[in-house]
Amino acid sequence: VTMSETINTYNPATGEKIDHYHLMSAEDAEQAVTRSQEAYLNWRRTSFETRADLFNNLANLMEERIDDLASLMTREMGKVTAQGKQEVQLCAEICRYTAEHGASILEDEHRIFEGGRAIITYQPIGVILGIQPWNFPLYQVIRYSASNIMAGNTTVLKHAKNVFGMAQAIQQMYEDAGFPKNVYQSLLIDGSTASDLIKHKYVRGVTFTGSDEVGKEVAKEAASLSKKTVMELGSNDAFLVLEDADIDHAVEMCIQGRVINNGETCVAAKRFVIVDSVYEEFRDKFVAQCKKLKVGDPTNENTDLGPMAREDLRDELHEQVKKSLENGATLSLGGEIPDSDGYFYPITVLEDVSPGMPAYDDELFGPVASLIRVRDDKQAMEVANDSRYGLGGGIFSTDTDKAIALAKDEFDTGMVNINGYSLAQPNLPFGGVKDSGYGREHGGYGMREFVNIKTIMVAEKSAE
């Protein structure tokens, strides 16, 4: 038996080691899934009322621990502290939404058919494996686990290696909130062990958030075993600035949408598609405002942008910028790795961005904005949809009805912002199309992703 591999975590603002963890063996991980199945057999019989009480406890615990949780995020992945607190608050709200609406979303439905009546019931299916990324290290986990546990399933998590401290803190919170042991488990495992767990006879579904390449492999593995998946695979979201947009407001919202979470957000604003008649005004104001943002220590309350989460991610982003410049993009701001400790990258603005460049075709997961000039509103919509991704997007226009019509009939994404920028909301569905994946989370939809929609037909004798 080989010694288990040690994983070190590092503070991205300084590069200093924070802690070390031991990876679980494949055998231990398999046993954890078996324990999850045993917990499921009891958990599926608990009442919605019991589940709701526990989720309200969990929400209260998160709020009590908000400072510790936010500071752990900042240490492990570099999130600006204020944004870490917002993430914890959002997770508490998700727990409360789940507690309040779970019973009605999952309640039996009654229909009649010729010869009788029918009951449609939403029954849990078993153990759900979650494979989640580091960028929202609490939210990503609560997002899928709360809805599935409310539905009566149990969950095991494979978290990203750079946020193993958060993985442990989450399991501790579930247990401290009073959930029975093994209803939720964080497994400290690597990608190949997670892939093997997809084959485990007790794993009934897999939910994955991350890159489209890895996601498609996970989906393929699960599909070969006829196991359901939900995929949230990143994006290259386009925000359209139409000729009748309020430019000052558009600039403010677009910058917020680009730099939130240090630019490391799947549903961030990434491509800015600007109609020719307002292009110069937008670009000048956008660059001027970007110059005012403070990049630095994420624990400092004046910081707008912290470091990137890992050195390899920063270097990869820089390669994408360089390749875009080699292919004809223009650098209007940033683009140089600073000579300092930590994994910082400056706010970067690229212009003359066109197909064939990483800045146009791929996801730039960091504080780089791609500006694309188009003739008119029609071309703006064409460019927005000219992407293999389809998670979110945005439209800025003072004609709200026109923007809604475009969003509804033309925009090929799962979510569209009009005249603003919003992250996830507990009561609204979240998810994408095309290479951004499939399935929905939040808004009650997540509670019905991994359930057996079971039909019970009751024959009734006709009156003699």
Side-chain angles (χ1 to χ4, degrees):
V1 180
T2 53
M3 283 295 289
S4 88
E5 192 191 333
T6 302
I7 296 297
N8 295 323
T9 53
Y10 298 91
N11 182 333
T14 60
E16 287 164 14
K17 182 179 158 182
I18 309 169
D19 210 339
H20 68 278
Y21 302 86
H22 295 292
L23 280 182
M24 283 174 106
S25 68
E27 197 182 339
D28 287 344
E30 285 182 12
Q31 284 169 359
V33 173
T34 301
R35 288 197 301 274
S36 189
Q37 171 70 11
E38 286 159 7
Y40 162 70
L41 297 175
N42 293 319
W43 180 249
R44 63 191 287 262
R45 304 202 182 282
T46 56
S47 67
F48 286 126
E49 197 180 4
T50 300
R51 296 174 201 170
D53 286 346
L54 292 171
F55 275 112
N56 283 322
N57 290 352
L58 184 58
N60 294 341
L61 264 189
M62 284 177 191
E63 287 172 342
E64 282 166 32
R65 297 180 187 177
I66 190 164
D67 291 340
D68 290 345
L69 291 165
S71 123
L72 178 58
M73 285 186 214
T74 302
R75 279 200 311 280
E76 286 192 319
M77 55 73 57
K79 194 183 299 276
V80 172
T81 303
Q83 292 178 24
K85 289 184 182 177
Q86 287 162 7
E87 179 173 339
V88 179
Q89 197 58 60
L90 171 62
C91 291
E93 285 164 22
I94 289 168
C95 291
R96 292 199 176 103
Y97 179 88
T98 304
E100 188 182 344
H101 298 281
S104 58
I105 286 162
L106 296 160
E107 147 181 84
D108 289 352
E109 290 176 34
H110 299 274
R111 298 186 186 177
I112 51 174
F113 67 100
E114 202 175 334
R117 62 189 171 90
I119 301 149
I120 298 162
T121 182
Y122 298 94
Q123 291 298 316
I125 56 175
V127 181
I128 307 302
L129 168 64
I131 301 173
Q132 298 297 328
W134 46 264
N135 59 328
F136 288 92
L138 180 63
Y139 161 73
Q140 298 284 6
V141 178
I142 296 302
R143 170 164 97 179
Y144 92 89
S145 61
S147 54
N148 279 301
I149 290 170
M150 189 70 197
N153 296 318
T154 55
T155 62
V156 291
L157 165 76
K158 183 257 173 219
H159 217 331
K161 290 193 275 224
N162 54 329
V163 292
F164 272 178
M166 182 60 82
Q168 290 185 332
I170 295 170
Q171 180 170 329
Q172 192 65 53
M173 273 195 296
Y174 265 108
E175 291 174 8
D176 292 351
F179 285 86
K181 217 167 166 44
N182 303 321
V183 165
Y184 170 89
Q185 292 178 84
S186 289
L187 312 184
L188 303 186
I189 57 176
D190 61 13
S192 65
T193 303
S195 292
D196 289 342
L197 287 186
I198 297 170
K199 304 185 189 86
H200 196 295
K201 65 179 175 181
Y202 292 138
V203 167
R204 293 287 297 270
V206 184
T207 176
F208 175 93
T209 300
S211 73
D212 53 321
E213 295 84 15
V214 179
K216 287 168 190 170
E217 286 304 311
V218 167
K220 190 166 140 186
E221 182 69 54
S224 73
L225 301 160
S226 192
K227 295 183 183 187
K228 183 169 181 185
T229 49
V230 165
M231 292 281 139
E232 203 272 83
L233 308 178
S235 195
N236 190 5
D237 288 359
F239 276 60
L240 280 52
V241 182
L242 304 185
E243 52 195 352
D244 60 359
D246 172 339
I247 299 299
D248 289 337
H249 179 67
V251 165
E252 185 192 345
M253 291 293 105
C254 287
I255 289 177
Q256 186 192 326
R258 180 58 285 198
V259 303
I260 197 158
N261 203 41
N262 304 337
E264 297 164 314
T265 306
C266 50
V267 71
K270 291 173 186 148
R271 290 179 298 147
F272 300 92
V273 183
I274 307 126
V275 171
D276 186 55
S277 58
V278 293
Y279 182 87
E280 264 92 11
E281 184 190 355
F282 179 90
R283 186 261 331 269
D284 293 348
K285 289 177 170 174
F286 188 92
V287 171
Q289 290 302 315
C290 283
K291 284 178 177 166
K292 292 181 186 168
L293 296 177
K294 292 186 176 63
V295 181
D297 177 356
T299 61
N300 186 322
E301 60 182 42
N302 299 320
T303 298
D304 296 299
L305 198 74
M308 291 189 59
R310 298 197 312 258
E311 191 170 18
D312 60 310
L313 296 169
R314 189 219 18 215
D315 295 346
E316 202 176 298
L317 179 70
H318 190 53
E319 276 307 307
Q320 290 176 305
V321 169
K322 285 201 302 202
K323 209 166 265 173
S324 299
L325 294 172
E326 283 162 20
N327 290 351
T330 307
L331 183 66
S332 302
L333 187 67
E336 291 289 321
I337 293 182
D339 184 20
S340 62
D341 290 334
Y343 317 137
F344 290 93
Y345 199 77
I347 297 169
T348 298
V349 179
L350 298 174
E351 291 188 73
D352 304 310
V353 170
S354 59
M357 301 175 184
Y360 187 97
D361 300 330
D362 302 324
E363 179 170 39
L364 269 55
F365 213 62
V368 180
S370 303
L371 271 48
I372 303 168
R373 187 196 290 250
V374 291
R375 283 189 308 277
D376 51 24
D377 294 0
K378 184 173 179 289
Q379 194 188 13
M381 199 70 253
E382 287 164 4
V383 168
N385 287 331
D386 182 26
S387 171
R388 69 176 198 272
Y389 293 113
L391 188 58
I395 301 174
F396 290 91
S397 165
T398 46
D399 183 345
T400 310
D401 291 341
K402 172 181 78 175
I404 290 171
L406 280 174
K408 196 169 147 182
D409 303 329
E410 306 294 338
F411 221 142
D412 198 4
T413 63
M415 301 171 282
V416 183
N417 285 283
I418 293 175
N419 294 326
Y421 177 76
S422 290
L423 281 168
Q425 308 291 321
N427 64 335
L428 301 177
F430 184 103
V433 293
K434 298 196 279 187
D435 278 15
S436 289
Y438 48 78
R440 292 295 178 266
E441 297 178 285
H442 298 319
Y445 292 84
M447 294 185 221
R448 287 186 173 185
E449 284 286 1
F450 293 101
V451 289
N452 173 9
I453 304 173
K454 186 187 286 187
T455 302
I456 301 165
M457 289 158 282
V458 183
E460 296 190 323
K461 275 188 180 157
S462 54
E464 296 290 308

